Amino acid sequence: MKIALTGSSGFIGSYLLKKLNELNHNVLTLDRTNGFDVSNWNVVKDLPKFDVCIHLAAKSFVPDSYKNVRDFYDLNIIATLNMLEISKKYNAKMIFTSSYVYGKPQYLPIDEKHKLSGFNPYAHSKIICEQLCEKYSIFFGLPIIIFRPFNIYGYGQAKNFLIPEAIEKILKGSSFELLDSSPKRDMIYIDDLVKAFVVVVESNMKNEVFNIGSGISYSVDQIVQMILNCNLKKIKVTYKNEARSNEVDNVIADISKAKNLLGWEPKISLEEGIRKTVSSYLNNNNNNMGIASL
């Protein structure tokens, strides 16, 4: 199967590319690092035929979406529109990677029918992209799957996210301070997310939206303590007890739809996933600070 993969060198894309190659799929890597700007139609329109498009390319760090609003809307929306157009040309299945787009939950766990909320510019850009996907499916019969991953983590994630930031600082033996210990998040390990993509690529499923999460939430402090418990140096972690703007106190994904229709569910617990992530940092960074290996 020929697969067009946007954002192929990013955090999710690099893991997914490796897995697709292992499964002997023919992957067309579309990434700015290899000269493919998918927000440029003149580049996209000449792409060769493919069977499936997995669209990952996007700006995604929420705090930056307030600082660079136009860039977020421009890249996320135009890139999605371009990949929908080229997918329509080849009648290729499109797997669109959305995000957590529910805002402050009206109920827990959150299912796919929960009201959407563009509670920050990033989430709003993703909702617009989802609406584009829906209309292309209705107007042109394009087969589309939308994934709404909750909080993804794993080795190689950008350092401005909680888990890699905490691991890096703990490995350096630096005490650090976080805003708030109490917000709870539903975390999904990168390998489990990749398996969900593979299931959809190799199935006939179309025109569905799926939450991708674990169905369990953990507080910021619980997550940090799991990292500290990975045979690492004990350092001081403090909290300002200040809530971020538009903070969501708790999120839990209802993943029953993915279980029932895809036969997918996460296999790696947060504790195991954190141990795997810390181990990868230790092995890849060749850290020789007297820290016991995992």
Side-chain angles (χ1 to χ4, degrees):
M1 188 177 296
K2 190 160 189 178
I3 301 169
L5 176 62
T6 76
S8 56
S9 71
F11 171 50
I12 302 172
S14 57
Y15 279 85
L16 185 52
L17 176 60
K18 181 180 178 182
K19 175 56 70 174
L20 293 172
N21 284 334
E22 288 174 358
L23 296 171
N24 296 316
H25 290 294
N26 182 4
V27 184
L28 183 62
T29 56
L30 307 177
D31 196 283
R32 284 183 171 179
T33 60
N34 62 3
F36 282 93
D37 179 359
V38 293
S39 66
N40 184 340
W41 176 244
N42 288 326
V43 172
V44 174
K45 67 182 179 66
D46 294 324
L47 289 173
K49 190 177 187 303
F50 52 85
D51 304 300
V52 177
C53 170
I54 303 176
H55 182 40
L56 298 172
K59 287 183 175 292
S60 61
F61 187 54
V62 171
D64 285 349
S65 74
Y66 288 97
K67 300 173 186 176
N68 305 301
V69 182
R70 190 182 186 285
D71 288 347
F72 268 71
Y73 282 108
D74 186 32
L75 175 64
N76 293 357
I77 295 169
I78 298 302
T80 302
L81 180 61
N82 286 345
M83 295 315 298
L84 284 166
E85 269 294 297
I86 195 68
S87 296
K88 175 169 70 73
K89 176 180 177 180
Y90 298 132
N91 194 34
K93 178 160 67 176
M94 169 93 146
I95 305 173
F96 174 68
T97 313
S98 186
S99 184
Y100 178 85
V101 288
Y102 300 112
K104 295 186 178 182
Q106 297 177 357
Y107 54 84
L108 293 172
I110 305 164
D111 60 22
E112 290 85 354
K113 295 179 181 178
H114 189 286
K115 181 181 177 181
L116 305 187
S117 173
F119 65 115
N120 58 60
Y122 168 61
H124 187 224
S125 75
K126 286 293 189 178
I127 291 172
I128 294 171
C129 292
E130 285 197 21
Q131 291 170 341
L132 283 170
C133 290
E134 179 186 1
K135 295 307 179 185
Y136 267 72
S137 176
I138 293 171
F139 296 155
F140 310 112
L142 191 66
I144 294 176
I145 294 291
I146 295 173
F147 275 176
R148 292 175 182 160
F150 280 51
N151 291 79
I152 311 160
Y153 71 99
Y155 177 74
Q157 188 175 31
K159 295 179 182 179
N160 43 16
F161 288 87
L162 172 63
I163 289 177
E165 178 187 8
I167 291 173
E168 288 272 325
K169 289 181 176 177
I170 292 169
L171 289 177
K172 291 177 181 177
S174 310
S175 61
F176 61 100
E177 186 175 54
L178 297 170
L179 279 179
D180 195 351
S181 63
S182 60
K184 300 179 76 174
R185 295 292 180 263
D186 186 318
M187 310 296 295
I188 182 74
Y189 187 59
I190 184 65
D191 287 359
D192 281 325
L193 174 61
V194 165
K195 288 175 184 175
F197 277 108
V198 170
V199 169
V200 171
V201 165
E202 298 182 343
S203 77
N204 294 320
M205 186 68 61
K206 62 181 180 179
N207 304 331
E208 295 286 355
V209 179
F210 294 102
N211 287 338
I212 304 296
S214 68
I216 307 170
S217 67
Y218 295 88
S219 71
V220 169
D221 188 57
Q222 286 177 306
I223 294 168
V224 170
Q225 292 306 315
M226 286 185 191
I227 297 170
L228 287 168
N229 289 337
C230 290
N231 298 332
L232 300 179
K233 181 184 291 185
K234 302 300 181 184
I235 67 167
K236 186 176 182 181
V237 181
T238 57
Y239 299 94
K240 294 181 180 179
N241 294 318
E242 295 178 6
R244 296 186 302 178
S245 176
N246 292 326
E247 183 65 88
V248 177
D249 294 331
N250 191 12
V251 297
I252 303 173
D254 183 337
I255 56 173
S256 57
K257 186 177 179 181
K259 287 182 179 180
N260 294 334
L261 296 187
L262 298 177
W264 171 91
E265 61 181 315
K267 300 297 184 183
I268 299 172
S269 68
L270 179 59
E271 186 173 13
E272 181 185 357
I274 284 177
R275 288 185 66 85
K276 286 176 176 288
T277 304
V278 171
S279 181
S280 293
Y281 273 92
L282 290 170
N283 293 334
N284 286 280
N285 294 351
N286 193 26
N287 193 290
N288 295 311
M289 299 170 61
I291 303 171
S293 63
L294 301 181

